[in-house]
Amino acid sequence: ATAGPLYLILDDNFYYQSMRYEVYQLARKYSLSFCQLFLECPLECCLQRNRLRSHPLPDQTICLMARKIEMPDLKKNAWEQNSLILKSFDCSFEDDEQIISLLATALENPVKPNEENLEQKEADRAICAASTVHQADGICRRIISQTMKDAKDKNILPSEMKSLAEELNKLKAEFLEDLRQGNNLKNQICVQNQYSDPATSVTSSFQHKATNVVNKYI
């Protein structure tokens, strides 16, 4: 309906590079432009802002996000070249100019469908590993949710339920960090535009450990 360019704004944390890479793949598939605006904010500032929300999240959630979030790596990832990192606690008119410049550059350089090279393929493999962590994160969350429900059904005291939740979330954070470092991730092969999915198999060990934790409270 308009003669000007159309912008699609995806407003989310996108804390893993794999999440953002999926969007880049769509842009490449349809020859669209792609750019990223990353707001960098100190943890303490995030905690203060969160406490002012009408429905604040637990501080533990904010701290966990701070540990997991992966900033754009302009040197390593060719697909993240059109990225701008701003200090979200110190905005200025210069930031507006940089954002406009970023959008203009992106529009002038849409992603080419067949834009591939050896370095990019290696980056794709790294993104694949990160995607596995993302998938494992979701599976672990479901395991914890079901584990807490089972514990409640077994009449565990409310005070112990809180301790159980903290212990399970700590276990999940440690498990995902090991997975991110490759300590419990088996060799995998990532085909272009197709991710292998070893997350389900490796999270079986998390299920076993979570069960052992619950057994201490029963």
Side-chain angles (χ1 to χ4, degrees), residues 30-49:
Y30 295 105
S31 299
L32 302 177
S33 299
F34 173 85
C35 63
Q36 299 179 130
L37 179 60
F38 185 91
L39 300 179
E40 185 177 14
C41 186
L43 175 59
E44 188 56 39
C45 182
C46 291
L47 291 171
Q48 292 175 359
R49 291 177 177 177

Side-chain angles (χ1 to χ4, degrees), residues 192-204:
Q192 180 181 353
N193 296 329
Q194 181 180 354
Y195 289 145
S196 60
D197 179 20
T200 303
S201 59
V202 297
T203 47
S204 61

Side-chain angles (χ1 to χ4, degrees), residues 41 46 51 54 92 121 124 126 132 145 150 168 172 184 203:
C41 186
C46 291
R51 291 163 188 160
S54 57
S92 66
K121 288 181 179 179
D124 288 351
T132 298
S145 177
D150 293 342
L168 288 173
K172 179 173 75 72
N184 52 7
T203 47

Side-chain angles (χ1 to χ4, degrees), residues 159-178:
S159 59
E160 293 183 333
M161 287 288 288
K162 181 179 179 181
S163 298
L164 174 60
E166 291 175 351
E167 196 166 345
L168 288 173
N169 281 306
K170 180 181 179 181
L171 178 66
K172 179 173 75 72
E174 293 172 350
F175 174 82
L176 293 177
E177 183 59 28
D178 282 344

Side-chain angles (χ1 to χ4, degrees), residues 60 140 143-173 206-218:
Q60 184 181 17
C140 289
I143 290 174
I144 290 178
S145 177
Q146 184 60 49
T147 300
M148 293 298 295
K149 181 178 181 300
D150 293 342
K152 185 177 181 181
D153 292 341
K154 293 178 180 178
N155 298 319
I156 292 180
L157 296 176
S159 59
E160 293 183 333
M161 287 288 288
K162 181 179 179 181
S163 298
L164 174 60
E166 291 175 351
E167 196 166 345
L168 288 173
N169 281 306
K170 180 181 179 181
L171 178 66
K172 179 173 75 72
F206 177 79
Q207 173 75 75
H208 178 69
K209 293 179 180 179
T211 301
N212 289 339
V213 171
V214 175
N215 288 338
K216 295 191 301 182
Y217 290 83
I218 299 175

Side-chain angles (χ1 to χ4, degrees), residues 75-79 116-126:
K75 294 182 179 179
K76 181 178 178 181
N77 299 325
W79 61 274
E116 284 291 342
N117 54 48
L118 293 178
E119 291 183 359
Q120 189 58 52
K121 288 181 179 179
E122 185 60 32
D124 288 351
R125 294 189 185 94

